[in-house]
Structures are given as C-alpha cells and as structure tokens.
C-alpha cells in the first residue's frame, strides 16, 4: 500500500535538521508498546479505519505515539459505518473520565489511553470538503458516474474525508 516505501524513503533522507521520521506500526494489539511512544508531533494515516476489529489498537497506537498536543490527520472514506464507529470510539474514550461505564463491556482502547479529568484525549473534527481539488474531482466522478455505467465510483468507498484528531 505504499506505507513501507514511504517509511523507507523517510529513513533514507532522514536528516536531524529536517526532523523527518517514519514508522510503520501494525495496531492489532492494545498492550504493545513501541519505541515510538510519545515521539511524533504528526501522525498521517490513510484508509486505516475500514477494519473495525483494529479500531481499538489504531486509536491506542495514535494516542501512544503522539506527543501531547500532537495531531493525527486521517484521510478516510466512510466505508459504511466504519468511520462513524471509529469516531464513536474516540468519543467514548474522550468521555470515559466524565461518565461511568454501565453494563457495557468497556472498550479496550479505554485501558491504554491515558484518560484524565483534564479534558478529552482528542479534539476531533471531520472535514468533508477539505481541499478544492479533491471536491472538484469527487463531483466530476460522482456526476460522471451517472453517465458512464461502467465506471464504479462509490463515494462511500472512494471519497476521502479528513478526520483530524
């Protein structure tokens, strides 16, 4: 998917004056600590929330690897309810310190994310129209798809949305 190649390029051109660093992390486990804990100011992720069984691990990985006030930019399509479910998980983690969990089993993400009474772990904003060129391309594909039945542009699977944490 290009992630490995991007990380290798970043490692090759890494220069302390440029402060570039790349790391590929498989976020399939909650209790896995990495060398990158609290190291990054920016996390870039693309199309990572479609496997809902990894949502807890993904959120924990982002929370662990970012410095305080770090930013995660996630470019994701909706993919059914997957993006919405990930955002609900972020809300649950943010609200964990302000409410008690009832009979529901708490998310594993609550166990690894340092939730404090100081406020939410993440401020979350979803941008549907974040870059004019992307919006123009989306509209042309959407309206073009109506005239060309062989093209299979599906906004649910193809339209990028920007989730900022």
């Amino acid at each position: 998917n290009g992630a490995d190649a991007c990380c290798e390029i970043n490692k090759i051109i890494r220069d302390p004056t440029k402060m570039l660093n790349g790391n590929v992390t498989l976020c399939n486990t909650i209790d896995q600590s990495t060398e990158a804990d609290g190291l990054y100011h920016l996390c870039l992720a693309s199309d990572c929330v479609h496997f809902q069984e990894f949502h807890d691990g993904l959120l924990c990985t982002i929370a662990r690897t970012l410095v305080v006030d770090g930013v995660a930019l996630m470019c994701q399509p909706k993919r059914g309810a997957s993006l919405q479910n990930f955002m609900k998980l972020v809300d649950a983690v943010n609200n964990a310190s302000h409410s008690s969990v009832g009979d529901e089993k708490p998310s594993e993400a609550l166990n690894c994310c340092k939730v404090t009474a100081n406020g939410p772990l993440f401020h979350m904003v979803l941008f549907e129209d974040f870059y004019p060129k992307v919006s123009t391309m989306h509209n042309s594909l959407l309206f073009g798809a109506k005239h060309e039945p062989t093209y299979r542009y599906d906004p649910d699977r193809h339209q990028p949305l920007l989730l900022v944490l």
Side-chain angles (χ1 to χ4, degrees):
N1 66 13
D4 291 332
C6 288
C7 287
E8 287 305 311
I9 291 169
N10 278 338
K11 288 176 185 176
I12 291 169
I13 64 168
R14 191 178 332 181
D15 179 338
T17 61
K18 294 180 185 175
M19 297 186 67
L20 288 176
N21 192 358
N23 199 354
V24 175
T25 303
L26 177 61
C27 48
N28 62 350
T29 180
I30 300 302
D31 56 0
Q32 180 182 22
S33 184
T34 68
E35 296 174 2
D37 285 4
L39 181 65
Y40 297 102
H41 295 270
L42 178 65
C43 172
L44 301 174
S46 178
D47 207 11
C48 289
V49 302
H50 56 283
F51 294 121
Q52 295 188 53
E53 63 270 20
F54 296 125
H55 281 181
D56 287 341
L58 176 61
L59 186 58
C60 286
T61 300
I62 292 169
R64 280 197 301 242
T65 57
L66 285 176
V67 298
V68 174
D69 292 329
V71 175
L73 301 175
M74 304 177 71
C75 192
Q76 317 294 314
K78 288 181 183 176
R79 288 194 182 264
S82 187
L83 179 59
Q84 193 64 38
N85 290 341
F86 182 77
M87 293 172 65
K88 286 179 184 177
L89 177 63
V90 174
D91 282 335
V93 169
N94 283 342
N95 295 325
S97 63
H98 303 294
S99 63
S100 61
V101 177
D103 294 332
E104 297 177 23
K105 181 184 174 211
S107 167
E108 291 293 323
L110 300 179
N111 296 331
C112 79
C113 297
K114 297 174 182 164
V115 180
T116 67
N118 295 334
L121 182 64
F122 292 108
H123 297 280
M124 179 173 53
V125 180
L126 180 65
F127 295 95
E128 292 190 26
D129 188 15
F130 61 93
Y131 188 66
K133 185 172 183 174
V134 172
S135 298
T136 300
M137 185 177 285
H138 163 70
N139 287 328
S140 69
L141 289 170
L142 185 63
F143 296 119
K146 291 179 180 177
H147 301 294
E148 299 173 26
T150 58
Y151 191 78
R152 306 223 191 287
Y153 176 72
D154 179 3
D156 184 62
R157 294 183 316 148
H158 299 121
Q159 180 189 8
L161 306 174
L162 181 62
L163 180 63
V164 179
L165 303 176

